[in-house]
Structures are given as C-alpha cells and as structure tokens.
Amino acid sequence: MKRHPSQLLKSSYIFFFQVPKLPEFMMHMEDFKTLKSVYMGKRMGIKNKNNRLTEEDLEAYVFSFSRPGAMVGPYNYYRNIFSNQPAKCHNVMAPTLVIWGDKDIALEVGMTAHIEQYIQNVFQLKVVPGASHWVQQDEPDVVNKLMWTFLEENDK
C-alpha cells in the first residue's frame, strides 16, 4: 500500500475491523444489510445484472454468516494483517493466474505491479472489463475460459 496511497483509502474498512465486537454488531444490523450491500449495492456489488444473486442466494449468505462464530474467520483475517509487519513476501513456485475486474472498487489493479517478482514460474494477469470485485460472479464464462486456458497451457 506504500506505493498506492489511494489503496489505503479503499482499504480503510480494515482499520474498522480492528475494533473488537463493533464490526460484528454492525454486520448483524438490519438483517445483514451491509453484507447484502457488498454483493448487491451499486458501488461494490456485482455489476453484471444478468448474474446478480437472487434473493434466495442472498438469504443463503445471510443464514451462513448469521450462525454463531461464522464471522470469526473473516474478521480475524483482517485483524491479523498488522500482526506480521513488515510483511515478508515468499517466492511462489506454482504457475499463477490473477483474474481482476477493472471495476473493482476494493482493490486497485496497480497493486499487482510488484507481484511478478515473487512468482518463480509462469505469471499471468488478466483484467476482465466491466467486472467488479466479484469478477467470478460478474463474468463466470470469461473467468472459466481464462482458468481452463491457463490450466491447459501450464499442464506439466
């Protein structure tokens, strides 16, 4: 994030998640309105109207995340981000494909600029036009084709 100050702003929610119990309380408010907004809202939600989640899909997410302890893992991921500073990058030996939506408001594609130096094998970055943070939901056919092509090309 040092090289991308605007990413720090986009990632400000990480600081909110550091506060004990408050994020959990906020997420549960109004029948998980925030969670629903993450997937369906204009700003962050799935962009492809043909592939949006149904009410049934959303209720499945709400049911899963409303279970006792269901949010512990997701919040702990963010709460532990600062526990290993400075972060150590390790070499990745496997062929690596990164698929990114160009309408992702949570993560800037520029964040990928320095990944390649840690990949000791094939590295491909594929940016999917019109796709959000939920690129696999926005463009499932495109994502599947990219993955199959990558796997076929790197089958050893």
Side-chain angles (χ1 to χ4, degrees):
M1 280 194 245
K2 273 193 256 183
R3 295 182 180 111
H4 295 272
S6 58
Q7 180 63 55
L8 187 61
L9 271 175
K10 289 181 177 189
S11 299
S12 61
Y13 62 91
I14 293 171
F15 300 104
F16 173 68
F17 288 167
Q18 303 307 307
V19 179
K21 300 187 187 203
L22 185 59
E24 290 87 339
F25 174 75
M26 297 291 290
M27 184 62 75
H28 282 82
M29 289 179 62
E30 296 184 57
D31 192 32
F32 286 80
K33 182 180 178 180
T34 302
L35 179 69
K36 292 175 182 177
S37 174
V38 164
Y39 290 111
M40 303 300 286
K42 273 188 175 176
R43 189 162 173 260
M44 173 118 185
I46 298 161
K47 301 296 179 214
N48 187 333
K49 291 186 183 352
N50 297 326
N51 293 325
R52 294 186 73 123
L53 299 177
T54 65
E55 285 298 319
E56 190 176 89
D57 294 334
L58 276 174
E59 286 309 311
Y61 278 104
V62 169
F63 176 77
S64 294
F65 285 120
S66 67
R67 300 186 57 92
M71 296 302 293
V72 171
Y75 285 128
N76 282 350
Y77 169 81
Y78 293 105
R79 288 176 175 149
N80 285 316
I81 283 176
F82 301 111
S83 65
N84 293 315
Q85 293 298 320
K88 290 183 181 177
C89 295
H90 301 281
N91 288 338
V92 176
M93 306 311 283
T96 304
L97 170 65
V98 175
I99 303 174
W100 209 282
D102 76 342
K103 301 291 184 213
D104 187 334
I105 67 140
L107 299 168
E108 294 181 2
V109 74
M111 296 290 291
T112 64
H114 302 283
I115 291 176
E116 194 168 0
Q117 66 185 318
Y118 300 104
I119 311 293
Q120 303 303 309
N121 207 313
V122 175
F123 172 75
Q124 290 182 20
L125 168 64
K126 300 293 184 181
V127 179
V128 180
S132 69
H133 186 70
W134 314 111
V135 63
Q136 74 285 358
Q137 187 71 31
D138 276 314
E139 297 295 341
D141 294 336
V142 172
V143 170
N144 286 335
K145 183 161 179 33
L146 290 170
M147 289 172 60
W148 276 113
T149 300
F150 182 81
L151 290 170
E152 288 169 350
E153 290 173 354
N154 294 287
D155 184 26
K156 294 181 182 178

